[in-house]
């Protein structure tokens, strides 16, 4: 009996040691990789944010592999910083702060490779050059899909994709400055009208601006509505919600083909940019103030001595045309900075109080829609 017990004891020890050698070790390694990756991502996004305002881009080179696909991702970040800083220079601004928060959605780690999806909320501050004004801040939100590889003892970016609201050619930014003209006209106090609840619409746009820094609702869209991001974009769906949601939004009555059905989603006019653009004027809900490139809408004219852009109010909409006279994007005017620059919110990609032309170039045409109260 004693000898059996001793053999049983030794066998149990062997089993325990074997389990310790195989199962916990693999778990420990997986946990270690997870923590390493989280630390890497937080440090990398922090350094990329700082590189936006201190564009000495060598500071982020260390996060990328020498392979072509990885270097393409690095080049995108360099051009992004160049674009934003060139835009700021042309608008007599200076970027003064840049901070990010990330939320990792999922990680799939296999050996020395990791597939990551995450959401970034980015806060950017700017000030006007030679103007005594406080810092203005805006937010953008982006959804990132990354492949990381371990190189030696550190992780590196093998490839990355995200829909970037600031992805434009820095050599194609319109010259000129809109602040001086749009500030010349006093903006009416934000209030709810008889048919259009303008103040409520702006509050809705701020609450549901998604992943962008500054947005409410814990950076989530309104769950009452389908998310069309993966079906061509959610910007028009969002604009329709802002002016039409009966409980929190502008409360315009659904009319004609402009409708949202909880069971099936939005109609073509509700979610498709061109159809929505046409609906605004045909329905009488909106009035097209002007349509044209940056210079056309900011240049004083006989009809608009301070430029057509000065006629916008918070709660109005801007359509963006890239080519073939087709509307490609919609944003919601939610206010103005201290120098009168119109600020917008949108989905796909998510923006919160972003200067209206940041992320666009001199080929963009703007449709300025006033929503009638």
């Amino acid at each position: 009996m004693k000898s059996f017990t001793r053999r049983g004891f030794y066998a149990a020890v062997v089993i325990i040691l074997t389990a310790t050698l195989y199962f916990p070790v693999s778990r420990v390694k997986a946990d270690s990789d997870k923590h390493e990756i989280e630390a890497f991502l937080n440090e990398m996004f922090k350094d990329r944010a700082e590189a936006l305002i201190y564009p000495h881009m060598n500071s982020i080179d260390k996060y990328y592999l020498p392979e072509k696909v990885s270097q393409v991702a690095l080049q995108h970040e360099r051009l992004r910083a160049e674009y934003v800083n060139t835009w700021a220079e042309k608008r007599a601004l200076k970027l003064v702060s840049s901070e990010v928060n990330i939320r990792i959605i999922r990680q799939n780690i296999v050996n020395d490779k990791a597939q990551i999806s995450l959401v970034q909320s980015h806060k950017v501050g700017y000030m006007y050059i030679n103007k005594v004004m406080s810092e203005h801040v805006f937010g953008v939100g982006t959804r990132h899909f990354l492949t990381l590889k371990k190189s030696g003892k550190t992780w590196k970016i093998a490839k990355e994709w995200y829909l970037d609201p600031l992805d434009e050619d820095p050599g194609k930014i319109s010259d000129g400055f809109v602040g001086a003209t749009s500030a010349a006209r006093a903006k009416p106090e934000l209030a709810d009208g008889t048919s259009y609840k303008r103040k409520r619409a702006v509050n809705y746009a701020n609450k549901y601006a998604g992943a962008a820094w500054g947005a409410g609702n814990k950076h989530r869209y309104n769950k009452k509505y389908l998310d069309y991001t993966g079906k061509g974009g959610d910007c028009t769906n969002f604009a329709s919600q802002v002016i039409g949601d009966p409980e929190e939004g502008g409360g315009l009555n659904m009319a004609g083909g402009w409708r949202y059905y909880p069971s099936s989603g939005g109609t073509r006019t509700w979610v498709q940019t061109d159809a929505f653009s046409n609906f605004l004027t045909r329905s009488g809900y909106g009035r097209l103030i002007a349509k044209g490139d940056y210079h056309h809408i900011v240049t004083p004219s006989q009809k608009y001595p301070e430029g057509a852009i000065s006629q916008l109010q918070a709660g109005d909409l801007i359509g963006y045309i890239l080519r073939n006279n087709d509307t490609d994007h919609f944003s919601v005017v939610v206010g103005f900075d201290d120098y009168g620059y119109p600020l917008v919110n949108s989905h796909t990609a998510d923006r919160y109080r972003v200067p209206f032309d940041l992320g666009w170039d001199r080929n963009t045409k703007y449709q300025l829609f006033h929503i009638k109260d």
Side-chain angles (χ1 to χ4, degrees):
M1 183 68 179
K2 289 184 179 179
S3 106
F4 175 79
T5 303
R6 188 177 296 112
R7 284 198 301 270
F9 172 76
Y10 289 146
V13 169
V14 170
I15 291 170
I16 292 170
L17 288 176
T18 303
T20 303
L21 288 172
Y22 288 95
F23 298 103
V25 167
S26 62
R27 284 199 300 269
V28 167
K29 184 179 186 307
D31 289 342
S32 175
D33 285 342
K34 181 179 178 181
H35 291 314
E36 283 182 5
I37 287 171
E38 289 177 355
F40 167 82
L41 291 170
N42 278 291
E43 180 184 9
M44 184 271 292
F45 275 96
K46 177 179 177 292
D47 284 352
R48 287 205 321 204
E50 291 180 354
L52 192 69
I53 55 173
Y54 305 111
H56 306 297
M57 299 303 293
N58 290 340
S59 63
I60 65 171
D61 289 4
K62 62 184 178 182
Y63 297 112
Y64 296 83
L65 292 167
E67 283 81 358
K68 183 177 180 180
V69 175
S70 181
Q71 290 297 302
V72 167
L74 172 59
Q75 181 63 12
H76 172 265
E77 297 305 319
R78 289 173 172 161
L79 287 173
R80 185 177 200 260
E82 184 181 352
Y83 169 82
V84 176
N85 282 274
T86 303
W87 173 86
E89 181 181 349
K90 288 179 179 288
R91 302 294 176 261
L93 309 172
K94 179 177 177 59
L95 304 181
V96 295
S97 64
S98 179
E99 304 171 15
V100 298
N101 289 308
I102 63 170
R103 177 166 53 91
I104 297 173
I105 307 299
R106 64 178 57 89
Q107 300 184 52
N108 181 24
I109 307 169
V110 179
N111 298 326
D112 64 346
K113 182 182 287 188
Q115 303 287 342
I116 310 291
S117 63
L118 61 84
V119 175
Q120 174 191 229
S121 297
H122 192 172
K123 174 186 176 183
V124 181
Y126 66 90
M127 298 183 71
Y128 284 94
I129 298 172
N130 300 324
K131 299 292 179 183
V132 181
M133 292 182 179
S134 59
E135 178 183 353
H136 300 85
V137 294
F138 64 85
V140 295
T142 45
R143 295 163 178 82
H144 296 248
F145 302 90
L146 304 100
T147 299
L148 307 181
K149 285 186 178 179
K150 200 158 193 179
S151 177
K153 295 183 178 181
T154 60
W155 292 91
K156 304 279 188 180
I157 297 173
K159 57 183 176 181
E160 179 181 14
W161 180 90
Y162 63 101
L163 185 61
D164 185 4
L166 307 178
D167 181 19
E168 288 293 341
D169 185 341
K172 294 184 178 180
I173 302 171
S174 296
D175 292 322
F177 177 56
V178 69
T181 57
S182 61
R185 181 175 179 269
K187 304 299 176 187
E189 184 178 349
L190 190 60
D192 290 336
T194 304
S195 59
Y196 181 47
K197 311 302 181 186
R198 186 175 294 275
K199 183 176 182 178
R200 212 169 67 175
V202 171
N203 290 339
Y204 186 102
N206 288 332
K207 180 177 180 179
Y208 295 113
W213 173 90
N217 199 43
K218 298 181 179 179
H219 297 290
R220 263 70 171 188
Y221 292 173
N222 190 341
K223 292 192 293 185
K224 281 173 44 179
Y225 299 92
L226 293 176
D227 179 359
Y228 288 83
T229 300
K231 302 176 182 179
D234 198 61
C235 62
T236 310
N237 180 38
F238 180 57
S240 289
Q241 293 171 39
V242 168
I243 67 172
D245 184 88
E247 297 172 352
E248 299 180 80
L252 290 177
N253 292 326
M254 296 182 190
W258 182 67
R259 297 178 181 276
Y260 188 90
Y261 298 100
S263 59
S264 58
T267 60
R268 179 174 177 271
T269 304
W270 184 278
V271 303
Q272 203 270 337
T273 50
D274 282 321
F276 180 61
S277 174
N278 293 331
F279 166 78
L280 288 173
T281 51
R282 287 201 313 264
S283 65
Y285 282 169
R287 174 176 65 87
L288 184 63
I289 300 169
K291 173 183 173 181
D293 63 15
Y294 182 87
H295 286 290
H296 177 78
I297 64 172
V298 305
T299 301
S301 65
Q302 185 174 0
K303 186 176 182 180
Y304 301 119
E306 291 94 28
I309 195 79
S310 68
Q311 302 298 302
L312 286 173
Q313 299 177 31
D316 287 341
L317 303 177
I318 300 178
Y320 297 75
I321 298 172
L322 302 183
R323 62 186 68 83
N324 300 327
N325 214 32
D326 294 330
T327 310
D328 294 277
H329 180 71
F330 264 98
S331 64
V332 181
V333 180
V334 292
F336 306 85
D337 70 13
D338 291 344
Y339 207 48
Y341 216 103
L343 307 174
V344 299
N345 291 12
S346 71
H347 285 184
T348 320
D350 298 344
R351 295 171 170 87
Y352 175 84
R353 296 185 65 83
V354 175
F356 81 97
D357 68 310
L358 179 59
W360 308 94
D361 65 23
R362 62 177 177 237
N363 297 320
T364 305
K365 291 184 173 61
Y366 303 88
Q367 297 168 296
L368 310 183
F369 289 101
H370 173 67
I371 306 301
K372 298 178 183 180
D373 298 284

